[in-house]
Amino acid sequence: MLDLKVMVNLELVVRDPIESMLEEEICADETYEVGTESFSLSGSYTVMLTSVASGCDSVVYLDLTVNSLLSSTITTSICEGELYTIAGVAYSTSGIHQETVLSALTGCDSTIVLNLTVNPVYEIPLSRTICEGESYAVGDSLYTETGIWPTLLTTINGCDSLVN
């Protein structure tokens, strides 16, 4: 029997796991994916993956912030003939109108609800007869001569109205 001794030289490389830190923000109606996992709630998460480069485990630390969708309601009134504009869209009719805009604060969609009342503007023809020496008042104006006198008044809602 021969006594053979084999010498083996082992060159061993131990690779550290690859670690990645992610700080991400998404909107409330979105999800964020790491590997095969999906996240939709704010929080800190640790996800174990296998590195393509080394075949070893890699660790992803995810700090996720979920921004809420913003909503606001505007209740206002305008006079007939005027416009109320939201995000470049002009409204001129009474009712509830809705626009979705991108929030400069979060980068997420925001909903603006407009409850708009359009108050009327009146043009009232008025014909009166007075005797010489008398006067007739329309608003703050006092008339004593024959003629057509357009008088601009303001309604209780703040709109201009014309009395002729």
Side-chain angles (χ1 to χ4, degrees), residues 6-96:
V6 178
M7 181 184 262
V8 176
N9 288 327
L10 173 64
E11 185 179 324
L12 180 64
V13 176
V14 177
R15 298 184 193 270
D16 291 328
I18 299 170
E19 294 183 351
S20 300
M21 178 62 163
L22 299 175
E23 290 184 30
E24 299 294 336
E25 289 186 35
I26 61 173
C27 299
D29 57 350
E30 299 174 340
T31 58
Y32 191 84
E33 295 183 9
V34 177
T36 58
E37 295 189 46
S38 296
F39 303 95
S40 60
L41 299 174
S42 290
S44 296
Y45 302 95
T46 302
V47 180
M48 299 294 290
L49 301 171
T50 301
S51 168
V52 173
S54 68
C56 299
D57 286 342
S58 63
V59 181
V60 176
Y61 300 101
L62 172 63
D63 186 16
L64 183 64
T65 301
V66 179
N67 294 316
S68 56
L69 303 178
L70 304 175
S71 179
S72 62
T73 300
I74 299 170
T75 300
T76 193
S77 63
I78 60 173
C79 298
E80 186 178 356
E82 295 178 343
L83 300 173
Y84 193 91
T85 304
I86 295 177
V89 179
Y91 294 97
S92 62
T93 58
S94 292
I96 297 176

